[in-house]
Amino acid sequence: MRLDRFLGNQTNLNRNDVRLMLLAGRVSVDGSPIKEPMHEVRIFSQVRVDDKILQHGKPARYWMLHKPEGCVSATTDPQHPTVLDLLDAPDKHDLHIAGRLDFNTSGLMLLTNDGQWSRRLTQPTNKLAKVYYVETEAPIDAGYVDKFAEGFYFAFEDLTTQPAELTVLDSHRARLSIVEGRYHQVKRMFGFFNNKVTRLHRESMGPLVLDPMLAPGESRTLSADEIGMI
Protein backbone atom coordinates (compact mmCIF):
# COMPACT_ATOMS: atom_id res chain seq x y z
CA MET A 1 0.00 0.00 0.00
CA ARG A 2 1.19 3.55 -0.73
CA LEU A 3 2.49 5.38 2.33
CA ASP A 4 0.12 8.35 1.92
CA ARG A 5 -2.88 6.02 1.70
CA PHE A 6 -1.68 4.03 4.70
CA LEU A 7 -1.31 7.23 6.75
CA GLY A 8 -4.76 8.41 5.73
CA ASN A 9 -6.29 5.11 6.82
CA GLN A 10 -4.44 5.07 10.13
CA THR A 11 -4.84 8.69 11.16
CA ASN A 12 -8.03 9.89 9.42
CA LEU A 13 -6.07 12.89 8.19
CA ASN A 14 -6.94 14.36 4.80
CA ARG A 15 -4.59 14.11 1.85
CA ASN A 16 -3.14 17.61 2.31
CA ASP A 17 -2.41 17.02 5.99
CA VAL A 18 -0.68 13.76 5.13
CA ARG A 19 1.42 15.51 2.48
CA LEU A 20 2.50 18.20 4.98
CA MET A 21 3.34 15.53 7.54
CA LEU A 22 5.59 13.80 5.03
CA LEU A 23 7.27 17.02 3.91
CA ALA A 24 8.01 17.88 7.54
CA GLY A 25 9.95 14.62 7.90
CA ARG A 26 7.72 13.35 10.67
CA VAL A 27 7.23 9.90 9.13
CA SER A 28 9.76 7.10 9.20
CA VAL A 29 9.59 3.61 7.73
CA ASP A 30 11.90 0.98 9.17
CA GLY A 31 13.84 3.72 10.95
CA SER A 32 14.43 5.95 7.92
CA PRO A 33 12.61 9.27 7.33
CA ILE A 34 10.41 9.02 4.24
CA LYS A 35 8.93 11.97 2.39
CA GLU A 36 7.78 10.16 -0.76
CA PRO A 37 3.99 9.57 -0.63
CA MET A 38 4.20 6.59 -3.01
CA HIS A 39 6.72 4.72 -0.84
CA GLU A 40 5.41 1.18 -0.41
CA VAL A 41 4.30 0.03 3.02
CA ARG A 42 4.28 -3.74 3.49
CA ILE A 43 3.17 -5.91 6.39
CA PHE A 44 6.86 -6.16 7.33
CA SER A 45 7.34 -2.37 7.53
CA GLN A 46 7.52 -0.54 10.83
CA VAL A 47 5.84 2.84 10.38
CA ARG A 48 6.30 5.64 12.89
CA VAL A 49 4.92 9.19 13.06
CA ASP A 50 6.93 11.31 15.48
CA ASP A 51 7.23 9.00 18.52
CA LYS A 52 4.10 6.97 17.80
CA ILE A 53 4.33 3.58 16.09
CA LEU A 54 1.43 3.09 13.69
CA GLN A 55 2.54 -0.37 12.56
CA HIS A 56 5.09 -2.56 14.32
CA GLY A 57 5.65 -4.74 11.27
CA LYS A 58 5.89 -8.49 11.05
CA PRO A 59 9.24 -10.22 10.66
CA ALA A 60 9.71 -11.61 7.16
CA ARG A 61 10.46 -15.32 7.33
CA TYR A 62 11.98 -17.70 4.82
CA TRP A 63 12.38 -21.47 5.23
CA MET A 64 14.01 -24.22 3.21
CA LEU A 65 12.56 -27.72 3.59
CA HIS A 66 13.71 -31.05 2.22
CA LYS A 67 10.30 -32.42 1.27
CA PRO A 68 10.08 -36.20 1.47
CA GLU A 69 7.91 -38.40 -0.73
CA GLY A 70 4.42 -39.10 0.58
CA CYS A 71 3.84 -35.60 1.89
CA VAL A 72 1.26 -33.09 0.67
CA SER A 73 2.24 -29.61 -0.51
CA ALA A 74 -0.56 -27.97 1.47
CA THR A 75 -1.16 -26.26 4.78
CA THR A 76 -3.81 -28.77 5.90
CA ASP A 77 -4.95 -32.19 4.69
CA PRO A 78 -7.38 -34.62 6.39
CA GLN A 79 -5.61 -37.78 5.21
CA HIS A 80 -1.89 -37.14 4.74
CA PRO A 81 0.95 -35.31 6.48
CA THR A 82 1.63 -31.86 5.07
CA VAL A 83 4.84 -29.90 4.66
CA LEU A 84 3.71 -27.64 7.52
CA ASP A 85 3.49 -30.67 9.80
CA LEU A 86 7.22 -31.14 9.22
CA LEU A 87 8.16 -27.54 9.93
CA ASP A 88 9.24 -26.59 13.45
CA ALA A 89 8.57 -22.86 13.20
CA PRO A 90 6.53 -20.40 15.25
CA ASP A 91 3.36 -19.14 13.56
CA LYS A 92 4.03 -21.55 10.71
CA HIS A 93 0.45 -21.25 9.47
CA ASP A 94 1.29 -17.69 8.37
CA LEU A 95 3.63 -19.19 5.77
CA HIS A 96 2.77 -20.17 2.22
CA ILE A 97 4.53 -22.49 -0.22
CA ALA A 98 6.60 -20.98 -3.01
CA GLY A 99 6.45 -23.67 -5.70
CA ARG A 100 4.55 -26.82 -4.79
CA LEU A 101 5.67 -30.40 -5.36
CA ASP A 102 3.56 -33.46 -6.10
CA PHE A 103 2.76 -35.98 -3.35
CA ASN A 104 5.49 -38.41 -4.40
CA THR A 105 8.05 -35.80 -5.48
CA SER A 106 10.84 -34.96 -3.06
CA GLY A 107 13.36 -32.17 -2.76
CA LEU A 108 13.68 -28.44 -2.29
CA MET A 109 10.64 -26.60 -1.01
CA LEU A 110 10.58 -22.97 0.08
CA LEU A 111 8.07 -21.44 2.48
CA THR A 112 7.68 -17.77 3.35
CA ASN A 113 5.26 -15.09 4.48
CA ASP A 114 6.69 -12.68 1.88
CA GLY A 115 4.37 -12.73 -1.12
CA GLN A 116 6.52 -10.45 -3.29
CA TRP A 117 9.58 -12.63 -2.74
CA SER A 118 7.72 -15.83 -3.62
CA ARG A 119 6.23 -14.27 -6.76
CA ARG A 120 9.69 -13.30 -7.98
CA LEU A 121 10.77 -16.87 -7.41
CA THR A 122 7.88 -18.60 -9.15
CA GLN A 123 6.62 -16.33 -11.96
CA PRO A 124 7.44 -17.91 -15.35
CA THR A 125 8.26 -14.46 -16.80
CA ASN A 126 11.30 -14.32 -14.50
CA LYS A 127 12.59 -17.55 -16.07
CA LEU A 128 14.24 -18.87 -12.90
CA ALA A 129 15.22 -22.45 -13.66
CA LYS A 130 14.00 -25.33 -11.52
CA VAL A 131 16.31 -28.33 -11.69
CA TYR A 132 15.06 -31.89 -11.14
CA TYR A 133 16.77 -35.24 -10.86
CA VAL A 134 14.66 -37.81 -12.74
CA GLU A 135 14.57 -41.60 -12.84
CA THR A 136 12.43 -43.43 -15.39
CA GLU A 137 10.98 -46.86 -15.99
CA ALA A 138 12.15 -47.16 -19.61
CA PRO A 139 15.49 -46.09 -21.10
CA ILE A 140 16.15 -42.46 -22.00
CA ASP A 141 17.86 -42.02 -25.36
CA ALA A 142 19.55 -39.08 -27.03
CA GLY A 143 16.38 -38.23 -28.97
CA TYR A 144 14.77 -36.95 -25.80
CA VAL A 145 17.17 -34.02 -25.59
CA ASP A 146 16.03 -32.32 -28.79
CA LYS A 147 12.35 -32.77 -27.96
CA PHE A 148 12.75 -31.23 -24.51
CA ALA A 149 14.56 -28.27 -26.09
CA GLU A 150 11.79 -27.93 -28.70
CA GLY A 151 8.91 -28.05 -26.21
CA PHE A 152 5.79 -30.19 -25.74
CA TYR A 153 2.27 -29.29 -26.76
CA PHE A 154 -0.17 -29.66 -23.86
CA ALA A 155 -3.65 -29.90 -25.35
CA PHE A 156 -5.49 -29.27 -22.07
CA GLU A 157 -3.86 -25.85 -21.63
CA ASP A 158 -3.50 -25.32 -25.41
CA LEU A 159 0.14 -24.31 -25.07
CA THR A 160 3.64 -25.46 -25.89
CA THR A 161 6.08 -25.67 -23.02
CA GLN A 162 9.08 -23.40 -23.02
CA PRO A 163 12.44 -24.92 -24.00
CA ALA A 164 13.86 -27.20 -21.33
CA GLU A 165 17.37 -28.54 -20.89
CA LEU A 166 17.67 -32.29 -20.44
CA THR A 167 21.00 -33.86 -19.49
CA VAL A 168 21.07 -37.65 -19.79
CA LEU A 169 23.06 -39.18 -16.92
CA ASP A 170 22.68 -42.82 -17.92
CA SER A 171 20.07 -45.14 -19.45
CA HIS A 172 17.39 -44.43 -16.82
CA ARG A 173 18.50 -41.20 -15.14
CA ALA A 174 18.54 -37.56 -16.22
CA ARG A 175 18.72 -34.03 -14.90
CA LEU A 176 16.08 -31.60 -16.17
CA SER A 177 15.99 -27.80 -16.02
CA ILE A 178 12.66 -26.05 -16.68
CA VAL A 179 11.41 -22.50 -16.16
CA GLU A 180 7.71 -23.35 -15.76
CA GLY A 181 5.61 -25.22 -13.26
CA ARG A 182 2.68 -26.71 -15.17
CA TYR A 183 0.49 -29.40 -13.63
CA HIS A 184 2.51 -32.65 -13.50
CA GLN A 185 4.76 -31.06 -16.12
CA VAL A 186 7.79 -33.32 -15.84
CA LYS A 187 5.71 -36.52 -15.81
CA ARG A 188 3.72 -35.32 -18.82
CA MET A 189 6.90 -34.50 -20.73
CA PHE A 190 8.29 -38.00 -20.24
CA GLY A 191 4.79 -39.34 -20.89
CA PHE A 192 5.17 -38.11 -24.48
CA PHE A 193 7.63 -41.01 -24.87
CA ASN A 194 5.38 -43.40 -22.90
CA ASN A 195 8.08 -43.42 -20.26
CA LYS A 196 6.96 -43.41 -16.64
CA VAL A 197 8.83 -41.26 -14.10
CA THR A 198 9.65 -43.47 -11.12
CA ARG A 199 11.49 -40.88 -9.05
CA LEU A 200 11.44 -37.08 -9.15
CA HIS A 201 13.53 -34.87 -6.90
CA ARG A 202 13.87 -31.07 -7.08
CA GLU A 203 17.46 -29.99 -6.50
CA SER A 204 17.21 -26.23 -6.94
CA MET A 205 15.01 -23.24 -7.73
CA GLY A 206 16.85 -20.39 -9.41
CA PRO A 207 20.06 -19.80 -7.44
CA LEU A 208 18.73 -21.57 -4.32
CA VAL A 209 20.03 -25.12 -3.93
CA LEU A 210 18.78 -27.74 -1.50
CA ASP A 211 21.15 -27.89 1.45
CA PRO A 212 22.84 -31.32 1.30
CA MET A 213 22.95 -31.37 5.11
CA LEU A 214 19.14 -31.51 5.29
CA ALA A 215 17.74 -35.02 5.49
CA PRO A 216 14.23 -35.65 4.13
CA GLY A 217 11.75 -33.90 6.42
CA GLU A 218 14.33 -31.49 7.86
CA SER A 219 14.30 -27.73 7.40
CA ARG A 220 16.22 -24.56 8.19
CA THR A 221 15.82 -20.81 7.76
CA LEU A 222 17.41 -19.13 4.75
CA SER A 223 20.48 -16.98 5.24
CA ALA A 224 20.42 -13.28 4.40
CA ASP A 225 22.56 -14.01 1.34
CA GLU A 226 20.14 -16.67 0.12
CA ILE A 227 17.14 -14.37 0.61
CA GLY A 228 18.90 -11.64 -1.35
CA MET A 229 19.49 -13.95 -4.33
CA ILE A 230 15.83 -13.68 -5.36
Side-chain angles (χ1 to χ4, degrees), residues 15-120:
R15 185 175 300 177
N16 189 58
D17 288 338
V18 167
R19 182 179 63 84
L20 292 174
M21 181 189 294
L22 289 167
L23 289 174
R26 296 173 56 196
V27 181
S28 64
V29 179
D30 295 328
S32 300
I34 302 294
K35 296 184 178 182
E36 172 54 55
M38 295 185 68
H39 183 89
E40 183 180 11
V41 175
R42 305 175 64 198
I43 61 171
F44 312 116
S45 306
Q46 184 194 81
V47 183
R48 183 189 294 266
V49 176
D50 300 327
D51 293 326
K52 181 181 179 181
I53 295 178
L54 299 185
Q55 177 174 282
H56 286 274
K58 290 184 177 182
R61 295 187 294 149
Y62 310 85
W63 285 82
M64 172 186 293
L65 170 72
H66 185 164
K67 179 191 174 298
E69 297 179 12
C71 183
V72 179
S73 295
T75 54
T76 60
D77 188 274
Q79 296 181 328
H80 303 287
T82 73
V83 292
L84 283 191
D85 293 331
L86 300 173
L87 201 65
D88 184 17
D91 301 324
K92 61 185 180 182
H93 288 283
D94 289 341
L95 305 176
H96 63 267
I97 299 164
R100 296 173 183 270
L101 290 173
D102 295 339
F103 182 71
N104 285 322
T105 300
S106 63
L108 174 64
M109 178 161 282
L110 298 164
L111 300 99
T112 182
N113 60 349
D114 186 344
Q116 291 188 2
W117 187 87
S118 62
R119 281 191 292 275
R120 290 197 300 271

Side-chain angles (χ1 to χ4, degrees), residues 4-223:
D4 58 353
R5 190 170 299 164
F6 173 86
L7 292 170
N9 291 343
Q10 293 291 319
T11 64
N12 293 319
L13 295 174
N14 62 43
R15 185 175 300 177
N16 189 58
D17 288 338
V18 167
R19 182 179 63 84
L20 292 174
M21 181 189 294
L22 289 167
L23 289 174
R26 296 173 56 196
V27 181
S28 64
V29 179
D30 295 328
S32 300
I34 302 294
K35 296 184 178 182
E36 172 54 55
M38 295 185 68
H39 183 89
E40 183 180 11
V41 175
R42 305 175 64 198
I43 61 171
F44 312 116
S45 306
Q46 184 194 81
V47 183
R48 183 189 294 266
V49 176
D50 300 327
D51 293 326
K52 181 181 179 181
I53 295 178
L54 299 185
Q55 177 174 282
H56 286 274
K58 290 184 177 182
R61 295 187 294 149
Y62 310 85
W63 285 82
M64 172 186 293
L65 170 72
H66 185 164
K67 179 191 174 298
E69 297 179 12
C71 183
V72 179
S73 295
T75 54
T76 60
D77 188 274
Q79 296 181 328
H80 303 287
T82 73
V83 292
L84 283 191
D85 293 331
L86 300 173
L87 201 65
D88 184 17
D91 301 324
K92 61 185 180 182
H93 288 283
D94 289 341
L95 305 176
H96 63 267
I97 299 164
R100 296 173 183 270
L101 290 173
D102 295 339
F103 182 71
N104 285 322
T105 300
S106 63
L108 174 64
M109 178 161 282
L110 298 164
L111 300 99
T112 182
N113 60 349
D114 186 344
Q116 291 188 2
W117 187 87
S118 62
R119 281 191 292 275
R120 290 197 300 271
L121 179 69
T122 57
Q123 281 184 339
T125 52
N126 292 335
K127 294 187 181 295
L128 291 179
K130 294 176 281 289
V131 177
Y132 293 85
Y133 167 80
V134 187
E135 294 181 2
T136 60
E137 189 171 72
I140 306 167
D141 61 46
Y144 282 50
V145 175
D146 290 340
K147 182 58 184 174
F148 274 81
E150 174 189 327
F152 297 83
Y153 177 69
F154 287 172
F156 181 77
E157 295 94 333
D158 189 25
L159 58 81
T160 299
T161 60
Q162 296 188 41
E165 182 180 351
L166 183 72
T167 302
V168 179
L169 302 176
D170 61 28
S171 62
H172 290 75
R173 300 186 306 131
R175 181 162 284 111
L176 175 65
S177 176
I178 60 176
V179 295
E180 299 168 287
R182 306 291 177 186
Y183 178 71
H184 289 320
Q185 180 169 346
V186 176
K187 294 175 182 178
R188 292 164 74 187
M189 286 171 147
F190 280 92
F192 175 86
F193 299 95
N194 294 316
N195 196 350
K196 182 180 178 181
V197 172
T198 58
R199 187 184 174 207
L200 187 60
H201 176 83
R202 184 160 66 195
E203 298 178 334
S204 64
M205 296 178 70
L208 298 173
V209 179
L210 179 62
D211 188 334
M213 300 302 292
L214 292 178
E218 292 185 342
S219 60
R220 68 164 173 82
T221 57
L222 296 187
S223 68

